[in-house]
């Protein structure tokens, strides 16, 4: 048996082909085209899937099932996605399930948003049969995937887990990309950390080695200056504060046994992003704090979640041992 996993991100399309034991046999990837139409993206996904099949030496029609994890917003029937405005304003919807079903000649094709796929992958590969598990990605944005009482929480349209847009600062110091004030990702996501640093510095223009006026200034520069620049340390402390508030809200909502944190900002800076949450969470929650870990599956977790959907025929669960 052969299965395909697809991770459609804002930057890259990544695909894998595996056997029924989830052993990855081949991969292919390409950049995600930002238009001109949604169909352009669909065609690129299909081409990258065919390339991965070629690497393994199987025909697309030999594939027994596929899972797709995608950026963007699911439509109510979860067969297409709508691209968020920060990726492209004109691309429209991207058909995914039907064209891939046709290419692979199978109805076993499942689409989920990327953080839902992330928690599915985390359970399958890291926490088998976990009943209460949360996956958080702190990347260009912030998103959350939740398994509560054994069930993956998808929401009405498959769009549950948009907790990057949870208000963590009622005073609304920072404006989010979505237009609202005080949202978690307006402070702590990779795309927004530079603006947060600049806003703090404007309030308190102390001496700093951070290249905050450079167009190139990014979260990477901030974390590199940890321990050598007092202002950088101050900002990292504020990020830890807001991340802890976000995680505490999730703990109070779902009472998870474990929280796995991934996404580039966390994966590249675990000591400045994940460790402070670990050490501060006890004081921030009134329930038993969960185990907090950096995702063991790293940047592969969403792709592995997509593959899990294919192998489990969309049931999202670990096969019996
Ligand atoms: Zn927002």
């Amino acid at each position: 048996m052969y299965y395909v996993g697809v991770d459609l991100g804002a930057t890259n399309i990544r695909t894998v082909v595996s056997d029924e034991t989830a052993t990855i046999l081949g991969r292919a990837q390409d950049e995600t085209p930002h238009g001109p139409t949604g169909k352009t993206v669909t065609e690129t996904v299909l081409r990258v899937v065919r390339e991965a099949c070629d690497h393994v030496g199987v025909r697309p029609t030999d594939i027994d099932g596929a899972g797709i994890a995608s950026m963007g917003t699911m439509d109510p029937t979860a067969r297409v996605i709508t691209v968020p405005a920060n990726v492209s304003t004109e691309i429209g919807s991207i058909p995914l399930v039907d064209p891939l079903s046709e290419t692979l000649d199978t109805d076993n094709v499942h689409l989920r948003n990327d953080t839902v796929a992330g928690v599915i992958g985390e359970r399958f590969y890291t926490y088998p049969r976990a009943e209460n598990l949360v996956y958080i990605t702190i990347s260009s944005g912030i998103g959350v995937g939740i398994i509560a009482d054994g069930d993956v929480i998808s929401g009405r349209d498959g769009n549950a887990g948009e907790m990057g847009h949870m208000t963590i600062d009622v005073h609304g110091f920072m404006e989010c990309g979505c237009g609202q004030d005080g949202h978690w990702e307006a402070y702590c996501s990779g795309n927004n950390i530079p603006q947060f640093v600049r806003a703090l510095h404007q309030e308190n223009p102390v001496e700093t080695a951070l290249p905050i006026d450079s167009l190139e200034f990014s979260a990477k520069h901030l974390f590199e200056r940890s321990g050598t620049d007092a202002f950088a340390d101050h900002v990292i402390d504020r990020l830890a504060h807001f991340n802890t508030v976000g995680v505490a809200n999730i703990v109070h909502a779902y009472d998870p046994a474990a929280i796995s944190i991934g996404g580039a900002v966390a994966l590249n800076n675990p000591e400045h992003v994940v460790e402070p949450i670990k050490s501060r969470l006890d004081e921030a929650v009134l329930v038993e704090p969960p185990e907090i870990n950096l995702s063991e599956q790293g940047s592969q977790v969403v792709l592995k979640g997509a593959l899990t959907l294919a192998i489990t025929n969309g049931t999202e669960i670990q096969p019996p041992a």
Side-chain angles (χ1 to χ4, degrees), residues 8-320:
L8 171 56
T11 311
N12 290 301
I13 296 167
R14 299 188 293 171
T15 67
V16 288
V17 174
S18 84
D19 63 14
E20 67 278 5
T21 69
T23 303
I24 291 168
L25 307 171
R27 300 169 179 274
Q29 75 169 61
D30 203 347
E31 283 175 18
T32 306
H34 285 190
T37 65
K39 217 169 154 233
T40 319
V41 180
T42 307
E43 280 161 7
T44 310
V45 168
L46 297 178
R47 177 171 55 73
V48 179
V49 167
R50 286 193 201 96
E51 281 172 22
C53 291
D54 280 350
H55 292 164
V56 178
V58 296
R59 287 170 304 186
T61 52
D62 294 333
I63 300 295
D64 297 284
I68 310 165
S70 182
M71 60 160 177
T73 307
M74 307 285 134
D75 93 334
T77 56
R79 297 180 84 78
V80 304
I81 62 151
T82 307
V83 174
N86 61 357
V87 176
S88 170
T89 48
E90 286 154 15
I91 200 166
S93 68
I94 303 173
L96 288 169
V97 176
D98 295 336
L100 194 55
S101 279
E102 203 168 301
T103 301
L104 304 179
D105 194 23
T106 173
D107 291 333
N108 183 16
V109 176
H110 308 275
L111 172 65
R112 298 290 187 278
N113 84 32
D114 44 16
T115 53
V116 168
V119 78
I120 291 168
E122 203 62 57
R123 172 163 66 176
F124 192 87
Y125 286 88
T126 315
Y127 299 94
R129 286 168 288 279
E131 295 273 300
N132 292 284
L133 175 67
V134 167
Y135 168 72
I136 303 175
T137 176
I138 305 178
S139 183
S140 48
I142 293 178
V144 176
I146 300 139
I147 291 172
D149 296 339
D151 292 324
V152 176
I153 306 296
S154 293
R156 180 188 53 191
D157 295 339
N159 293 314
E162 287 283 7
M163 288 182 189
H165 302 284
M166 176 164 63
T167 302
I168 45 123
D169 173 16
V170 289
H171 303 296
F173 182 63
M174 295 302 294
E175 185 185 339
C176 187
C178 74
Q180 302 288 324
D181 293 334
H183 288 180
W184 186 5
E185 72 174 43
Y187 300 73
C188 300
S189 75
N191 281 359
N192 292 323
I193 285 172
Q195 285 95 293
F196 183 40
V197 176
R198 290 184 183 114
L200 284 175
H201 193 255
Q202 204 167 10
E203 240 191 5
N204 180 21
V206 293
E207 190 89 348
T208 176
L210 292 174
I212 53 175
D213 294 326
S214 162
L215 288 174
E216 309 284 298
F217 177 54
S218 73
K220 183 169 170 274
H221 299 112
L222 172 70
F223 292 115
E224 276 172 0
R225 292 265 156 56
S226 152
T228 63
D229 185 276
F231 180 67
D233 286 338
H234 168 66
V235 178
I236 291 168
D237 176 76
R238 296 320 293 154
L239 294 176
H241 167 73
F242 286 118
N243 280 329
T244 305
V245 172
V247 172
N249 288 345
I250 293 167
V251 171
H252 287 138
Y254 298 102
D255 189 19
I259 296 181
S260 158
I261 305 180
V265 174
L267 294 171
N268 294 333
N269 310 284
E271 71 279 30
H272 302 308
V273 177
V274 180
E275 290 304 320
I277 298 171
K278 267 191 196 174
S279 60
R280 294 172 189 216
L281 194 62
D282 280 29
E283 285 190 0
V285 297
L286 58 84
V287 298
E288 185 67 21
E291 184 186 315
I292 305 274
N293 291 310
L294 186 68
S295 172
E296 275 180 34
Q297 307 306 323
S299 62
Q300 300 290 304
V301 67
V302 170
L303 190 54
K304 286 180 169 178
L307 193 54
T308 302
L309 282 162
I311 294 169
T312 63
N313 198 4
T315 61
E316 306 161 347
I317 53 170
Q318 179 92 350

